[in-house]
Amino acid sequence: FLAGRTPATLDAVAEDIRKNGGLAETAVLDALDEDAVNQWVDSVAALTGSIDISINLITQEGVFKPLLDMPVDAFAKALEKCARSYLITNKAAARHMAKQGSGVILHFGGSDSGNAMPGLGNVQIGFDMIEAMRRQWACELAQHQVRVLTIKTAGIPETMGDMEQMEPVKQQMIDSTMLKRATTLDEVGRVAAFVASDHARSMTSTQINITAGALVD
């Protein structure tokens, strides 16, 4: 079940899933619209009988400026969007998961306690905020056997397009890793499938580091 604001993007992913033998349903909605998200999640639960996995992949509005030069309104708006979307989507799923006594909520982002890179603006701050929410959700939902985890990638060059000006950025991402290769979308999918499965049923309230050594815990 895929939801988002852009039909063409949703349809492309759904078609890829179907070509590989899967089932996919799409819905056009805004993750910042609490009523719409609740109604959609409720409809999925009514159709399937449960909400098993919830993943929020909303795009952060990155403002890459030194904090001394950061526009206050842009900074606040970006963090509010991130916080609102995670709170809305997590609440919508957690209502069902708590009742059924199972479920997995996946966050994407991750803290970097060793961050020494200037100019990241609101981006790493937003990721740290997502991690703080993950920790709080995990301890509150544990009594219901609901697990909350974060997958940390340090960026995926595949998602950045083929524009020539992005090539140095992609190479920098690769060079910053210990393994001298960047994480792939396929690897993210495989790790996500594992941590959402019963094979990882003892994992909660932690971040899964698949940064190829770019970020060291």
Side-chain angles (χ1 to χ4, degrees):
F1 294 91
L2 310 170
R5 295 186 302 171
T6 309
T9 304
L10 294 170
D11 291 341
V13 177
E15 183 60 26
D16 188 48
I17 292 171
R18 293 171 188 139
K19 285 181 179 178
N20 284 278
L23 303 175
E25 298 288 343
T26 64
V28 177
L29 60 82
D30 189 339
L32 299 175
D33 185 334
E34 185 175 7
D35 289 339
V37 170
N38 283 333
Q39 290 173 14
W40 177 66
V41 173
D42 289 349
S43 71
V44 173
L47 180 64
T48 65
S50 64
I51 299 293
D52 301 312
I53 304 166
S54 176
I55 302 175
N56 183 330
L57 287 172
I58 192 170
T59 302
Q60 277 212 55
E61 293 182 355
V63 184
F64 292 93
K65 288 179 177 289
L67 293 180
L68 277 173
D69 301 325
M70 179 67 67
V72 173
D73 288 345
F75 180 83
K77 180 182 177 183
L79 291 184
E80 180 189 9
K81 175 184 176 183
C82 187
R84 280 177 58 86
S85 74
Y86 272 87
L87 186 60
I88 288 171
T89 58
N90 283 5
K91 284 180 65 178
R95 286 187 295 110
H96 294 277
M97 292 177 176
K99 290 178 183 178
Q100 68 199 31
S102 65
V104 179
I105 295 175
L106 290 184
H107 289 187
F108 282 81
S111 291
D112 177 17
S113 60
N115 176 44
M117 184 181 298
L120 290 181
N122 67 302
V123 176
Q124 188 57 55
I125 293 171
F127 286 153
D128 286 327
M129 179 176 65
I130 291 171
E131 282 302 272
M133 295 179 75
R134 182 264 299 163
R135 287 190 289 268
Q136 192 63 37
W137 274 113
C139 68
E140 293 185 8
L141 293 176
Q143 62 180 313
H144 304 293
Q145 298 300 303
V146 176
R147 300 187 291 115
V148 189
L149 299 144
T150 300
I151 293 179
K152 179 168 68 172
T153 67
I156 305 171
E158 289 174 78
T159 67
M160 302 176 71
D162 295 324
M163 295 179 290
E164 184 176 347
Q165 60 267 36
M166 296 305 297
E167 293 307 312
V169 178
K170 293 180 183 179
Q171 190 59 50
Q172 184 180 16
M173 293 169 66
I174 294 170
D175 293 342
S176 68
T177 69
M178 288 184 180
L179 299 177
K180 301 308 173 189
R181 63 173 182 81
T183 306
T184 67
L185 285 174
D186 182 68
E187 289 171 330
V188 173
R190 292 177 184 275
V191 171
F194 167 72
V195 298
S197 75
D198 285 342
H199 294 296
R201 62 183 180 273
S202 295
M203 296 176 66
T204 193
S205 194
T206 190
Q207 54 184 11
I208 294 86
N209 186 334
I210 54 171
T211 66
L215 303 177
V216 180
D217 294 329

